[in-house]
Amino acid sequence: QRQLNFTDPHNMQVQFSIKVLCRGINHMDFSADGHTLLAACEFSGDVLKIDLKSRRVTGLLHLGGMPQDVKLSPDGQVYYVADMMANGVYLIDNAGKIPRQLGFIPTGKGAHGLYPSRDGTRLFITNRGDGTVSVLNFASRKLVARWTVPGGSPDMGSVSANGAEFWVSARYSNEVYVFDTRSGKLTHRIKVGRGPHGLTYFPQPGRFSLGHTSNYR
């Protein structure tokens, strides 16, 4: 429908909507001050900057491909945007009204989900097309590890409340994976039903829901 709806958190009634020109607006994250957000439009390959005070789109950046998950860096300066067709992560400057690409980091085939560690030092990136999880260091903005699941398809998940485990669904493998976040070891492969896509670990610490699979910060 090419619009973003804002609802009352108590009764879920739509309070207002913002029309957008892109197609498939999906994942998004808020700026640290809560005044703006960056949203990915996966069907048209765009990211949008939206001002929440004026309730309007202030800028659009066409990336191409199929942008997916969006996460703000702990310092509030950069948005990370996974792209499952570009097979990596875009770095988008948070400053200004118009999104600006700062760089691109290849991570693996089908880069899809982005999950910060509980201590805010690392970002776990699921590459569902090649059965891997890439680990990025926020401070250096470089990849520091790669966890492999033979024959796997890690998709979407969340970090446990104590930060010790990363749980992730395997969309094309009918499993759930559990990784040790310190060693990167795959500790469990749990058989589930067909096509598991989203997974959330509860309780989740944090005050603000980032939507989609209900991760909080």
Side-chain angles (χ1 to χ4, degrees), residues 65-117:
M66 187 174 280
Q68 301 290 311
D69 208 359
V70 179
K71 286 293 187 300
L72 183 70
S73 62
D75 62 10
Q77 301 302 308
V78 175
Y79 285 104
Y80 290 85
V81 180
D83 192 305
M84 64 184 296
M85 290 185 68
N87 302 325
V89 176
Y90 288 99
L91 280 67
I92 307 297
D93 190 2
N94 186 32
K97 295 182 178 181
I98 299 175
R100 181 170 66 92
Q101 182 182 337
L102 297 176
F104 177 79
I105 302 172
T107 61
K109 186 177 180 180
H112 189 72
L114 305 174
Y115 306 95
S117 62

Side-chain angles (χ1 to χ4, degrees), residues 7-215:
T7 64
D8 185 300
H10 301 290
N11 58 26
M12 300 308 294
Q13 295 297 310
V14 176
Q15 301 299 298
F16 65 94
S17 299
I18 297 175
K19 288 289 185 181
V20 299
L21 297 177
C22 68
R23 292 183 292 111
I25 188 167
N26 193 346
H27 302 259
M28 67 181 191
D29 197 1
F30 295 91
S31 61
D33 60 13
H35 293 165
T36 62
L37 63 83
L38 189 79
C41 303
E42 65 175 295
F43 299 146
S44 56
D46 306 309
V47 289
L48 302 178
K49 190 74 172 287
I50 296 177
D51 183 281
L52 295 177
K53 289 186 175 181
S54 62
R55 299 181 181 180
R56 66 185 183 91
V57 176
T58 62
L60 179 150
L61 173 65
H62 181 67
L63 297 173
M66 187 174 280
Q68 301 290 311
D69 208 359
V70 179
K71 286 293 187 300
L72 183 70
S73 62
D75 62 10
Q77 301 302 308
V78 175
Y79 285 104
Y80 290 85
V81 180
D83 192 305
M84 64 184 296
M85 290 185 68
N87 302 325
V89 176
Y90 288 99
L91 280 67
I92 307 297
D93 190 2
N94 186 32
K97 295 182 178 181
I98 299 175
R100 181 170 66 92
Q101 182 182 337
L102 297 176
F104 177 79
I105 302 172
T107 61
K109 186 177 180 180
H112 189 72
L114 305 174
Y115 306 95
S117 62
R118 288 287 172 215
D119 60 6
T121 62
R122 296 174 296 163
L123 181 67
F124 307 129
I125 304 158
T126 59
N127 307 304
R128 75 182 187 193
D130 64 11
T132 63
V133 176
S134 298
V135 182
L136 179 138
N137 179 280
F138 275 121
S140 66
R141 298 181 184 174
K142 295 182 182 299
L143 300 180
V144 295
R146 185 177 176 89
W147 307 339
T148 301
V149 184
S153 57
D155 191 13
M156 302 188 70
S158 60
V159 179
S160 64
N162 63 7
E165 295 178 334
F166 177 43
W167 289 62
V168 58
S169 62
R171 188 169 189 179
Y172 303 123
S173 308
N174 305 334
E175 295 177 292
V176 167
Y177 307 133
V178 183
F179 293 92
D180 184 308
T181 57
R182 291 157 294 192
S183 67
K185 180 181 178 182
L186 179 63
T187 60
H188 296 82
R189 298 183 72 159
I190 305 165
K191 285 293 182 182
V192 295
R194 183 179 178 183
H197 183 42
L199 181 153
T200 298
Y201 191 105
F202 273 99
Q204 277 273 321
R207 296 178 55 209
F208 302 100
S209 172
L210 301 182
H212 207 82
T213 51
S214 298
N215 288 284

